[in-house]
């Protein structure tokens, strides 16, 4: 788990998460409200654990590898089809 120097968990603001993912804050709020991005409400502000963001990204990478043959190394772009078999 990502921790600061004091050994406490690191929390990111919605703006920080949005900047890291290069999306709008509204997208992050939507993800929080649908449960796609786990967050805690501190006062009137949502915060996302840095480890939750890392897990979200890892899950997305795994899903992308399963859906995209280029990433997994199979298919026509990674030495699959040759010669007359190409599309």
């Amino acid at each position: 788990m990502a921790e600061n120097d004091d050994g406490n968990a690191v929390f990111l603001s919605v703006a920080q998460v949005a900047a890291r993912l290069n999306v709008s804050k509204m997208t992050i709020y939507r993800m929080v409200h649908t449960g796609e991005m786990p967050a805690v409400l501190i006062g009137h502000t949502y915060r996302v654990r840095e480890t939750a963001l890392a897990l979200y990204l890892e899950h997305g990478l795994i899903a992308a590898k399963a859906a995209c043959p280029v990433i997994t190394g199979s298919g026509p772009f990674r030495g699959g089809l040759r010669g007359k078999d190409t599309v």
Side-chain angles (χ1 to χ4, degrees):
M1 178 185 308
E3 297 177 348
N4 60 16
D5 294 338
D6 299 333
N8 297 321
V10 176
F11 288 90
L12 304 170
S13 69
V14 168
Q16 290 171 316
V17 175
R20 288 188 183 193
L21 298 180
N22 197 27
V23 297
S24 70
K25 292 189 296 184
M26 186 53 66
T27 298
I28 302 303
Y29 281 118
R30 223 177 281 118
M31 293 168 70
V32 168
H33 287 287
T34 62
E36 188 177 354
M37 177 72 65
V40 294
L41 186 60
I42 301 174
H44 297 286
T45 307
Y46 283 103
R47 297 290 175 163
V48 177
R49 276 187 188 236
E50 194 169 45
T51 53
L53 177 59
L55 286 172
Y56 173 80
L57 292 173
E58 182 66 26
H59 176 48
L61 180 61
I62 291 168
K65 283 182 179 179
C68 183
V70 174
I71 294 174
T72 60
S74 63
F77 303 109
R78 294 287 184 170
L81 300 175
R82 292 278 189 249
K84 67 179 182 178
D85 295 333
T86 59
V87 178

